[in-house]
Structures are given as structure tokens and as C-alpha cells.
């Protein structure tokens, strides 16, 4: 195969190395899959009959602090792409800088929001300067992986769904130039839904479409826009994501397979989004806001052909049967399913109150007025990105506390460290009890996830973003604690000698400690927390993500490679209520379901 002739879109069918080529793609995000399972998931992709891997690249993980880059370990993009090539897959990279992906701020770093005038996804100088430096680092990693350099990357996407945003007509050509000027010569693509296709295209960049329902009008419209060009569905949505407090979305294979089959019969190239969703571990889930803010759950199962834990579902088997018709040779044998275990319940052995844990945080900040999370003087000059922030001040007397909608996104309210209520996007006023003399007012604010899609990206600062009123007077004189629960803090917490063993009347919020003993090789499992309320789970220092009794997600996926034979440390940060055990199951419980194909599309957005 000629390495000069990469993927070409100069006729009604793609060619690769000068030969006709049909993209049978699927999305798996390396940052949502434990590195130990990359090979397993890619082998299952190959065995299903797909020939191309697509993945986003999350800027906010690769540059977590301004000027500090990480392409190692779980974020070793080069190793992931190289492994895909070894498995026999081509690769399409989708490096953003914005990726959406139901990922916090659509993959953009939160420290960009320190600039009060920031205009994300535009040619605003502050955004362009930061983006420029990121592309310097990124392209140095990905350029050797390009097809014409001997690698597997056959195409690169320019930004993502910009037609639905379209704030700056000069922006997309700028991103195109960022890639071309740094030596990326492979085919460039854009990706848009039906609405976004109205945005003007760029010379030399192929438009693709995202959809779920079969729309011959949309497909024909795309073909008419680009005569004698191949038609591609960059995102064929194989399922849908979930938000807290609603039902788990399912998309039945009986509805999905006929659409994929019809697209393939018409010669369309298809990429399944997602082929395998994985998990938005830690605090990395995004949120949607189309009139109402709705944070997304930790699980990114997506009802994809390959489940969150790597199971080959019925959807996978039917898809494999369909795709086998497009291969001259038999498909590879599917890798065996990994074993799972429902471990014995782990008893709570100790707890540490939120208030006692403050000794292990970094030095608190002091400010006359509230400071939003991103602008706190912590973590160098990059502020706080994720987790919780505690604001404390002194008040005299009770009355009406009014958030003025300046809480982002949810706060527990305490008077002298006794809980008195909760404020969030819906509840903005709270009556505080009267008391003699001065008392401490504490506001524990949770960043529940930044919006990842739509016009509200510039307004995603978290914590307290403006004045809070008590009896119409702004509160002042704050001491502010950063509770981002990063590994250094969790390590100090874990090894402290201050854990209390008297579990009869634990102080909530607090950290609750248990140990799981694993006999033999560690296996995948699912953590279940019946009797608990809302919080975060850590296993051996790894942040598995959020739990919340309102569902639909009633479990947390715990990969076997994150366990060890012998003793394992589990810590639950809990806000509301506790049980005396942590339980485990072999299979997930997604809660109540709803058929995504029977919902009006507008209700999904």
C-alpha cells in the first residue's frame, strides 16, 4: 500500500493507498477505559468487523494545569494508537480542542475560565494563545502516528460540531491551520448534526454528519453539499447518555441494526458512537443545559454494543453478523469474557468527619467576597478544577439566605457545622435558625459537572460565583477550603491516625473507610451502596466517580486491574446517609429504563 496516497475523498467512495475503502468505524475513548483493558476492547472491536477506531483527545486531561502536560500512563495516546495498529485497526483522531463527549466542559481546561472575558471556541486571543501551546504539544505526539509517516492515523477531525455553535467565522479556519501548519497532511474532516450542516464548510475539509434516526433527507442534503464526495456518518449514535434523576436510556438492537444495514447498503461509511463507552471516572462527567441544568452520571455505558465492563451484548452479536457480510475472510474469534466477582460485603471500619479532614487540605484561601473555584489561589496559577469547595464565614443571627443563583451547582448549608439545608439550581432560598451571638456559616459547594454542549460554555465557572445574601446583605469575610480530593489529599487522609471507629453516630458529611480482602487474582466487580445517599467512591486511591441514590445509576464499575490480591482500601465520601457496609455485584443495575428511539429528539437535547 502506498504511503503517499492516504485516505482520499476525491470521488464518491473513499480510497486508501489508491484502493477503494469503506470506513467501518467505532468510538472507544482511551481515557474512559483502564489501560490494562485497552487491548481487550480493541480486539473485540476488530472481532466485530470494524476496521477503524475513532477517539477524542481531551485537552483538560492532557494539560490539567496551565503549561503542565501529561501524555503518560493512562493518557499515553501514542501507545493507544500504536496498539490499535497492532490489532489491525486504522485510526481517526478527533483532537478538538473542544470534543463535547459528555465530558466536563467538552474537554476544555477549566483554567481557561480564570479570564473573566474568556470566549471559548473563538479567535479570542486568550483562547487562541492557550490552544496554540496545546497544539504544539499534541502534534509533537500525533504527527509520527500519521499514515504518511508510517502510522495508522488516516484522518483528523477539525474541532467538533461547530456548526451548532458557530460564534466566530474565523475560528474553524484557524484550527485547520493549526493542524496543517504543524505538518498534518492527512484528510481533515468536520462532524455536525443536521442543524450544524448549515454552517459553511472549509476548502479541503470533508463534511460528515451525526445522527441516530434514519434520515434520507439529511443524507441526501450532505451528498448534495459535496458532489462526488464520499458520504460518512461520523457519529451513528448506538445509544444515549444518562443524567441524574431520570431513566437509563436504551436503544434496542431491533431499531439500530436496520438503520446501520440501510446506510451500508447505500455505500455510506459509518462510525458507531459509541462502540464501547466505558466510564467517566472521577469528577469528569459533563452536564447538559437546554433551559435546565442536568449533570450526567459517571457510567458512560451508553447502551453501546460493548458494555461498560466490556461485555459483548446482543447488539454486538447482531452487529457482528451484519458486518461479517462486508468481509471476504471470516472475522476473528471474540476474546473470552473476563471473569467477575460479587465480593463479600466490606464492613465500615472507621470514619473521619468533613471538619476533621480539613487539616489535610492545602492552606485555605481568605477573601472578603466569594471567589469562584477556578480563581482560587491553589494548584499554582490554575485554580481548582473539580470536586467540592467549602466556604465559611461568621454571621450573627438567622434569617433568609438567598443564593441569587450564584451557587454552582449544589451546596449543603451548615450553621456551627450542623446541617440546616441544601441550595441548588431550583432551591435558592433557605431559612437559617436564630442563635445567640456569632455562629459559623459553612457552605459546602459541589461542582456537579460543567456543561459540555451548547451556548453556555463561557458561563461554567463553579463554586460561588457572586454574592450570597443574608437578609438582603451580601456575606463577607470568607475562609475557603479546596476539597478537590486529588491523590495527594486522599493519601494524607488514608494514612492519618485520626479515623474514628465508633460508628454509632458518625458525623455527616464525612469519609468512611472499609477494606476489601481479595483472595486470588482480582476480578472486575460493581460497587453497590443501598442505604447510602450521595457522594464519591475511592478504591486504592482511584476515584471511581459519583454515587447518588436518585439513580438511574445504582452502581459503580470497579475494574479488576485497580484491585490487588490481599487488602484493598475503599473510602466513601458521603453527604447524606450511611450504611455499615459496602456491597458488590457481578452485574450492574441501571435502574428504570426508557427507549430512546421512542422519545422526540428534542427531549434528548
Amino acid at each position: 500500500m502506498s504511503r503517499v496516497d492516504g485516505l482520499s475523498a476525491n470521488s464518491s467512495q473513499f480510497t486508501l493507498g489508491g484502493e477503494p475503502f469503506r470506513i467501518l468505524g467505532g468510538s472507544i475513548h482511551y481515557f474512559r477505559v483502564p489501560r490494562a483493558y485497552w487491548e481487550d476492547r480493541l480486539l473485540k472491536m476488530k472481532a466485530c468487523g470494524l476496521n477503524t477506531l475513532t477517539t477524542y483527545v481531551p485537552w483538560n486531561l492532557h494539560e490539567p494545569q496551565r503549561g503542565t502536560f501529561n501524555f503518560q500512563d493512562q493518557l499515553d495516546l501514542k501507545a493507544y494508537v500504536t496498539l490499535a495498529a497492532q490489532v489491525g485497526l486504522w485510526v481517526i483522531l478527533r483532537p478538538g480542542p473542544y470534543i463535547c463527549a459528555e465530558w466536563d466542559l467538552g474537554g476544555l481546561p477549566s483554567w481557561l475560565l480564570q479570564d473573566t472575558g474568556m470566549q471559548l471556541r473563538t479567535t479570542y486571543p486568550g483562547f487562541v494563545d492557550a490552544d496554540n501551546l496545546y497544539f504544539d504539544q499534541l502534534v509533537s505526539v500525533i504527527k509520527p502516528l500519521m499514515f504518511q509517516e508510517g502510522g495508522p492515523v488516516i484522518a483528523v477531525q477539525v474541532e467538533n460540531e461547530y456548526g451548532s455553535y458557530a460564534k466566530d467565522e474565523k475560528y474553524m479556519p484557524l484550527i485547520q491551520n493549526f493542524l496543517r501548519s504543524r505538518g498534518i497532511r492527512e484528510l481533515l474532516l468536520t462532524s455536525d448534526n443536521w442543524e450544524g450542516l448549515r454552517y459553511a464548510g472549509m476548502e479541503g475539509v470533508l463534511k460528515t454528519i451525526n445522527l441516530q434516526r434514519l434520515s434520507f433527507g439529511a443524507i441526501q442534503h450532505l451528498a448534495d453539499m459535496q458532489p462526488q464526495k464520499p458520504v460518512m456518518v461520523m457519529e451513528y449514535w448506538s445509544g444515549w447518555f444518562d443524567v441524574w434523576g431520570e431513566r437509563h436510556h436504551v436503544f434496542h438492537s431491533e431499531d439500530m441494526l436496520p438503520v446501520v444495514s440501510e446506510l451500508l447498503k447505500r455505500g455510506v461509511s459509518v462510525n458507531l458512537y459509541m462502540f464501547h463507552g466505558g466510564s467517566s471516572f472521577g469528577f469528569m462527567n459533563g452536564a447538559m443545559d437546554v433551559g435546565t441544568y442536568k449533570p450526567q452520571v459517571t457510567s458512560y455505558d451508553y447502551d453501546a454494543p460493548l458494555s461498560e465492563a466490556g461485555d459483548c451484548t446482543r447488539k454486538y452479536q447482531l452487529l457482528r453478523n451484519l458486518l461479517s457480510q462486508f468481509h471476504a475472510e471470516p472475522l476473528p474469534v471474540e476474546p473470552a469474557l473476563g471473569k467477575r466477582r460479587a465480593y463479600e460485603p466490606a464492613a465500615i471500619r472507621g470514619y473521619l468527619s468533613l471538619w476533621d479532614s480539613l487539616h489535610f487540605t492545602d492552606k485555605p484561601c481568605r477573601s472578603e467576597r466569594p471567589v469562584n473555584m477556578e480563581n482560587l489561589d491553589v494548584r499554582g496559577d490554575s485554580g481548582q478544577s473539580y470536586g467540592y469547595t467549602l466556604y465559611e464565614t461568621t454571621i450573627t443571627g438567622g434569617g433568609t439566605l438567598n443564593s441569587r443563583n450564584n451557587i454552582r451547582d449544589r451546596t449543603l448549608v451548615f450553621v456551627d457545622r450542623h446541617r440546616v439545608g441544601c441550595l441548588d439550581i431550583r432551591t435558592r432560598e433557605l431559612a437559617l435558625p436564630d442563635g445567640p451571638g456569632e455562629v459559623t456559616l459553612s457552605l459546602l459547594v459541589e461542582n456537579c459537572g460543567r456543561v459540555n454542549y451548547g451556548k453556555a460554555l463561557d458561563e461554567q465557572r463553579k463554586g460561588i460565583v457572586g454574592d450570597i445574601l443574608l437578609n438582603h446583605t451580601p456575606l463577607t469575610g470568607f475562609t475557603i477550603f479546596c476539597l478537590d480530593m486529588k491523590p495527594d489529599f486522599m493519601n494524607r487522609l488514608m494514612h492519618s491516625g485520626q479515623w474514628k471507629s465508633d460508628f454509632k453516630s458518625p458525623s455527616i458529611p464525612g469519609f468512611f473507610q472499609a477494606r476489601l480482602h481479595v483472595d486470588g487474582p482480582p476480578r472486575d466487580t460493581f460497587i453497590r451502596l443501598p442505604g447510602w445517599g450521595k457522594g464519591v467512591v475511592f478504591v486504592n486511591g482511584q476515584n471511581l466517580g459519583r454515587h447518588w441514590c436518585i439513580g438511574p445509576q445504582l452502581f459503580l464499575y470497579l475494574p479488576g486491574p485497580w484491585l490487588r490480591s490481599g487488602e484493598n482500601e475503599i473510602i466513601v465520601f458521603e453527604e447524606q446517609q450511611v450504611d455499615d457496609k459496602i456491597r458488590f455485584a457481578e452485574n450492574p443495575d441501571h435502574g428504570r429504563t426508557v427507549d430512546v428511539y421512542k422519545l422526540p429528539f428534542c427531549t434528548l437535547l
Side-chain angles (χ1 to χ4, degrees):
M1 181 180 291
S2 168
R3 283 284 168 177
V4 176
D5 301 321
L7 186 68
S8 174
N10 291 327
S11 65
S12 59
Q13 185 175 16
F14 286 114
T15 59
L16 181 61
E19 299 295 326
F21 183 72
R22 169 85 67 92
I23 296 171
L24 303 174
S27 293
I28 305 178
H29 301 152
Y30 57 100
F31 47 94
R32 280 184 159 126
V33 179
R35 181 167 178 166
Y37 283 153
W38 284 354
E39 184 173 17
D40 173 80
R41 306 315 193 239
L42 294 177
L43 286 170
K44 287 172 179 171
M45 171 179 275
K46 182 72 174 176
C48 195
L50 300 179
N51 60 23
T52 304
L53 165 71
T54 72
T55 183
Y56 284 130
V57 180
W59 180 5
N60 55 6
L61 289 190
H62 288 294
E63 193 181 359
Q65 294 177 236
R66 191 189 299 270
T68 301
F69 295 92
N70 181 7
F71 287 91
Q72 303 299 316
D73 303 318
Q74 182 66 46
L75 298 176
D76 193 339
L77 175 59
K78 180 179 179 181
Y80 183 65
V81 172
T82 301
L83 182 60
Q86 293 168 355
V87 167
L89 295 165
W90 300 109
V91 177
I92 296 175
L93 284 182
R94 310 175 77 190
Y98 162 85
I99 61 173
C100 185
E102 289 70 64
W103 196 252
D104 188 271
L105 201 59
L108 300 173
S110 65
W111 45 258
L112 290 167
L113 298 174
Q114 291 178 320
D115 180 347
T116 57
M118 177 56 65
Q119 299 173 45
L120 301 173
R121 304 179 72 191
T122 71
T123 53
Y124 177 75
F127 184 74
V128 172
D129 291 346
D131 202 11
N132 218 340
L133 292 175
Y134 173 60
F135 269 83
D136 281 343
Q137 294 289 324
L138 176 64
V139 174
S140 70
V141 173
I142 67 173
K143 189 171 183 294
L145 303 171
M146 296 295 120
F147 180 87
Q148 295 183 29
E149 303 277 346
V153 178
I154 56 175
V156 179
Q157 187 174 299
V158 183
E159 236 264 0
N160 190 56
E161 295 185 320
Y162 196 72
S164 301
Y165 196 69
K167 278 195 170 184
D168 186 337
E169 64 182 15
K170 297 179 180 178
Y171 173 68
M172 287 292 278
L174 177 74
I175 302 302
Q176 178 187 15
N177 183 59
F178 276 1
L179 293 165
R180 289 295 191 223
S181 65
R182 289 169 171 83
I184 300 300
R185 295 287 173 259
E186 307 309 326
L187 178 67
L188 297 183
L189 311 163
T190 58
S191 173
D192 282 293
N193 59 27
W194 168 260
E195 175 195 32
L197 284 179
R198 295 178 300 192
Y199 177 71
M202 294 174 287
E203 185 69 29
V205 179
L206 183 71
K207 280 178 171 283
T208 68
I209 192 170
N210 304 336
L211 52 81
Q212 186 172 70
R213 290 165 170 80
L214 190 57
S215 171
F216 294 126
I219 296 293
Q220 189 59 50
H221 179 62
L222 179 62
D224 291 343
M225 292 178 74
Q226 302 177 126
Q228 293 303 303
K229 297 285 185 184
V231 175
M232 180 173 181
V233 177
M234 174 55 79
E235 291 185 11
Y236 180 75
W237 299 318
S238 65
W240 203 249
F241 57 85
D242 294 337
V243 299
W244 288 112
E246 297 188 2
R247 296 192 177 201
H248 171 58
H249 290 100
V250 296
F251 181 29
H252 295 297
S253 51
E254 292 80 4
D255 293 317
M256 183 188 112
L257 266 294
V259 180
V260 176
S261 178
E262 187 63 32
L263 290 170
L264 295 178
K265 285 179 183 177
R266 291 171 174 264
V268 176
S269 283
V270 176
N271 175 63
L272 297 172
Y273 187 97
M274 298 291 294
F275 177 73
H276 169 54
S279 310
S280 301
F281 294 114
F283 295 121
M284 299 312 299
N285 65 278
M288 59 186 298
D289 190 349
V290 184
T292 303
Y293 172 82
K294 297 179 180 181
Q296 290 143 359
V297 304
T298 293
S299 171
Y300 202 58
D301 178 83
Y302 209 83
D303 197 34
L306 210 58
S307 76
E308 180 174 10
D311 297 339
C312 297
T313 65
R314 181 170 183 271
K315 191 180 288 184
Y316 176 99
Q317 301 297 347
L318 293 173
L319 186 65
R320 174 179 157 91
N321 291 340
L322 171 63
L323 295 177
S324 67
Q325 302 170 27
F326 295 85
H327 293 269
E329 301 294 327
L331 295 178
V333 176
E334 302 164 33
L337 180 64
K339 295 181 180 178
R340 293 208 286 265
R341 278 184 66 180
Y343 294 101
E344 290 299 312
I348 300 301
R349 305 171 72 250
Y351 78 93
L352 193 65
S353 75
L354 168 69
W355 318 110
D356 290 337
S357 76
L358 298 180
H359 301 298
F360 305 103
T361 64
D362 294 333
K363 182 180 178 181
C365 305
R366 303 192 188 278
S367 174
E368 191 63 12
R369 290 290 174 89
V371 179
N372 61 287
M373 178 183 281
E374 296 79 5
N375 284 99
L376 289 176
D377 186 15
V378 296
R379 303 289 176 190
D381 64 349
S382 297
Q384 182 182 348
S385 294
Y386 313 107
Y388 296 75
T389 309
L390 178 68
Y391 298 78
E392 292 196 321
T393 187
T394 300
I395 60 173
T396 54
T400 301
L401 187 69
N402 189 321
S403 73
R404 302 183 70 198
N405 197 28
N406 285 327
I407 298 290
R408 301 287 190 280
D409 299 294
R410 184 175 179 273
T411 185
L412 302 183
V413 182
F414 304 84
V415 173
D416 274 348
R417 297 184 169 176
H418 295 285
R419 179 172 169 171
V420 296
C422 178
L423 296 172
D424 57 22
I425 196 73
R426 296 174 182 83
T427 304
R428 301 179 184 180
E429 282 194 353
L430 181 67
L432 299 185
D434 284 318
E438 291 187 344
V439 294
T440 299
L441 176 69
S442 303
L443 305 171
L444 180 65
V445 184
E446 180 191 8
N447 165 8
C448 296
R450 295 183 182 85
V451 168
N452 54 265
Y453 180 84
K455 309 278 185 180
L457 292 180
D458 296 341
E459 284 76 55
Q460 293 308 302
R461 295 168 185 86
K462 297 297 184 178
I464 299 180
V465 300
D467 283 333
I468 305 294
L469 305 184
L470 178 59
N471 301 326
H472 307 291
T473 302
L475 294 171
T476 58
F478 286 92
T479 300
I480 307 171
F481 297 85
C482 168
L483 282 157
D484 53 7
M485 302 185 192
K486 286 196 171 185
D488 53 354
F489 168 78
M490 296 304 298
N491 189 55
R492 291 194 294 269
L493 205 68
M494 194 183 307
H495 293 99
S496 79
Q498 299 187 24
W499 291 88
K500 298 175 183 176
S501 57
D502 180 9
F503 193 65
K504 292 180 181 176
S505 56
S507 174
I508 303 174
F511 295 87
F512 296 82
Q513 184 184 56
R515 284 187 183 160
L516 169 65
H517 185 80
V518 173
D519 293 318
R523 305 295 188 192
D524 284 10
T525 190
F526 292 92
I527 287 180
R528 295 212 56 203
L529 294 163
W532 297 73
K534 185 182 191 307
V536 191
V537 179
F538 301 82
V539 177
N540 295 330
Q542 293 270 8
N543 187 338
L544 295 190
R546 309 174 205 257
H547 75 90
W548 199 353
C549 60
I550 66 172
Q553 180 179 346
L554 299 173
F555 65 91
L556 279 168
Y557 172 52
L558 173 50
W562 291 359
L563 292 170
R564 49 182 175 250
S565 297
E567 296 297 313
N568 294 268
E569 191 85 19
I570 303 177
I571 294 178
V572 180
F573 176 70
E574 175 57 50
E575 302 178 23
Q576 294 180 352
Q577 62 183 28
V578 299
D579 189 58
D580 61 353
K581 290 183 178 64
I582 297 169
R583 291 171 169 80
F584 302 90
E586 284 190 39
N587 296 299
D589 179 358
H590 288 282
R592 297 180 303 164
T593 63
V594 60
D595 186 349
V596 64
Y597 214 55
K598 294 178 180 177
L599 295 173
F601 183 71
C602 61
T603 66
L604 296 173
L605 298 178

